[in-house]
Structure formats: C-alpha cells, structure tokens
C-alpha cells in the first residue's frame, strides 16, 4: 500500500502527513523526543531526565531555557518535507517517523549548542568553569534521543 502526498505549504504538509499516517496505520505509531528516563545519569548520579526538565522548564533557582520545543520547531519544515518525501517514495510510516524523529533530535542538540540566554550566574560559571547555560559535561546533550512507539504493542 503506497501513500501519495501533494505538498503545497508547510501547514498543509503537516496536516497531509498526519492524515496519511493516520490512514495508513490508524495513527498508532508515534515518537517521543527528549531525555528519556533510561538515559545515562549525570556524573553526580542525578537523573539526566530531571536535569533536562529543570533546564527546560526552569526551577526556583534555574531560569527556563526551553530547548526541546525550540529545537523541534527549528526543524519543522525539514521534518515535514522529509516525511512527505519518504512516504511518497513508499517508505513505511515507521521509517518516516524515525527519520523525522532523528531530525528533531538534531534540532534539539543544535538548540542546546546555541542557547546562550539567559546566561549562567557568576556563581554557576565559577562552579562549572563554563558560561554555556545548557552544557556542563555534555551528557544532557548526548542523551537527547527518540523512541518509537506503536500503540498496538502495549
């Protein structure tokens, strides 16, 4: 069974891709992008997923630096185009979603690399020896990953 898409604009492309995927597999396949609970812990033993959430959403002491949303958003057009091409070429939805998820991961990693604001406090810079807000050891950046899920397999 093949999927045919006509891409005319990004918003329409996203709707067409979703519609094609939903029709093909009943909307059962999806991906999550971020730091998952099974990621390698930080050097101090703290959960990397917790560190990522604290940096993304902020805490009482850490300002929010929403790298996940912004990282995926920066790749939105490339993701839509790639998925449309993959499906039009007859790739399975699982493959198209995996390709899209990998592009999203790369976008999030770029966002981490380029996020410089709000800056670290002088105290934080002194402790970690770097002014880069989202990179200390690099473990959080390396832990950005995707996982594919099929709602039929629970």
């Amino acid at each position: 069974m093949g999927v045919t898409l006509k891409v005319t604009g990004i918003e329409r492309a996203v709707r067409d891709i979703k519609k094609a995927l939903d029709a093909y597999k009943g909307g059962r396949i999806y991906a999550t992008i971020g730091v998952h609970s099974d990621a390698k812990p930080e050097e101090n033993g703290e959960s990397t997923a917790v560190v990522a959430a604290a940096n993304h959403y902020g805490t009482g002491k850490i300002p929010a630096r929403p790298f996940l949303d912004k990282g995926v958003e920066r790749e939105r057009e490339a993701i839509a185009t790639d998925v449309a091409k993959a499906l039009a070429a007859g790739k399975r939805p699982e493959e198209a979603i995996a390709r899209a998820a990998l592009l999203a991961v790369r976008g999030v990693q770029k966002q981490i690399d380029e996020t410089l604001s709000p800056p670290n406090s002088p105290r934080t810079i002194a402790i970690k020896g770097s002014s880069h807000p989202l990179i200390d050891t690099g473990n959080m950046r390396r832990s950005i990953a995707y996982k594919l899920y099929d709602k039929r397999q629970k």
Side-chain angles (χ1 to χ4, degrees):
M1 174 182 202
V3 176
T4 304
L5 295 175
K6 180 179 179 186
V7 180
T8 57
I10 190 66
E11 286 77 21
R12 183 176 176 109
V14 170
R15 284 192 306 271
D16 289 349
I17 289 165
K18 184 175 179 347
K19 185 177 176 182
L21 288 172
D22 286 349
Y24 189 80
K25 283 284 191 177
R28 295 183 180 143
I29 299 166
Y30 64 98
T32 58
I33 289 90
V35 178
H36 297 90
S37 62
D38 59 354
K40 177 184 174 190
E42 295 294 314
E43 290 178 356
N44 65 4
E46 191 172 4
S47 162
T48 303
V50 170
V51 170
N55 278 283
H56 182 79
Y57 296 108
T59 68
K61 295 181 180 182
I62 300 171
R65 297 180 179 102
F67 60 93
L68 289 165
D69 301 335
K70 289 181 180 181
V72 173
E73 178 62 27
R74 74 185 292 155
E75 297 298 324
R76 182 175 56 131
E77 190 170 335
I79 289 167
T81 300
D82 190 74
V83 169
K85 286 180 182 178
L87 292 174
K91 301 284 185 191
R92 294 186 347 259
E94 295 91 333
E95 293 175 83
I97 292 172
R99 290 168 56 130
L102 184 56
L103 286 171
V105 165
R106 289 180 184 157
V108 171
Q109 290 171 330
K110 285 181 207 172
Q111 188 66 37
I112 288 171
D113 292 342
E114 295 173 11
T115 296
L116 300 175
S117 180
N120 281 331
S121 71
R123 181 175 178 272
T124 300
I125 293 170
I127 291 169
K128 74 179 202 179
S130 168
S131 62
H132 197 292
L134 293 175
I135 298 179
D136 186 2
T137 65
N139 185 54
M140 183 180 79
R141 184 190 182 285
R142 286 188 302 273
S143 296
I144 302 297
Y146 73 88
K147 289 188 177 188
L148 290 181
Y149 296 92
D150 186 333
K151 291 180 187 175
R152 296 171 299 174
Q153 300 170 358
K154 289 202 173 194

